[in-house]
Amino acid sequence: MKNLKKISLLIVLMTFVISCACMKDKNTISGKVQSVEFGKDGYTAKINTDKNEVYSAIISIVNVGGPQNYKQLKEGEEVTLKGEIWKTDTEKHIKVKEIVSVK
């Protein structure tokens, strides 16, 4: 009985690890900066992806983990961003947790 519980726990843990590994890239977008609008605590950048999807990327010093990780994006730059993605009826959004690359 103890072995059955250990095996069950192992299977559950493996499933969790695999599902987390698979979700890693689902929270990442790459594309070209179309526009930048500055706000009180940061800015919102419109990102046009390779699949022709437009995301509103919300970028602030607090959300990216401090000033050492914060970058001000400019129109025309190619970027890769990681964060929390959600969709409304008409728009796609990402609250940026990490600015992976800027070219």
Side-chain angles (χ1 to χ4, degrees):
M1 189 66 164
K2 282 188 174 184
N3 286 338
L4 183 60
K5 286 183 180 181
K6 287 181 182 180
I7 291 171
S8 297
L9 180 61
L10 182 62
I11 290 172
V12 168
L13 287 173
M14 287 177 61
T15 303
F16 178 74
V17 169
I18 290 169
S19 67
C20 287
C22 292
M23 289 177 60
K24 197 180 238 183
D25 290 339
K26 290 184 180 179
N27 292 331
T28 303
I29 64 163
S30 294
K32 191 172 191 176
V33 179
Q34 287 184 325
S35 65
V36 178
E37 289 183 36
F38 293 94
K40 182 178 163 186
D41 297 324
Y43 62 95
T44 301
K46 295 285 184 188
I47 310 296
N48 189 10
T49 68
D50 297 337
K51 296 178 183 176
N52 221 17
E53 298 174 313
V54 178
Y55 282 83
S56 291
I58 302 160
I59 303 168
S60 71
I61 294 172
V62 174
N63 289 340
V64 296
Q68 67 277 12
N69 302 323
Y70 183 80
K71 294 177 186 148
Q72 191 170 321
L73 302 180
K74 297 175 188 144
E75 287 183 34
E77 291 181 319
E78 292 287 332
V79 297
T80 301
L81 308 170
K82 271 188 189 179
E84 296 174 22
I85 295 174
W86 76 95
K87 298 174 186 175
T88 62
D89 290 337
T90 58
E91 295 181 324
K92 297 177 182 186
H93 303 269
I94 180 169
K95 181 169 111 179
V96 177
K97 299 285 189 173
E98 180 182 353
I99 300 172
V100 178
S101 70
V102 179
K103 297 178 190 170

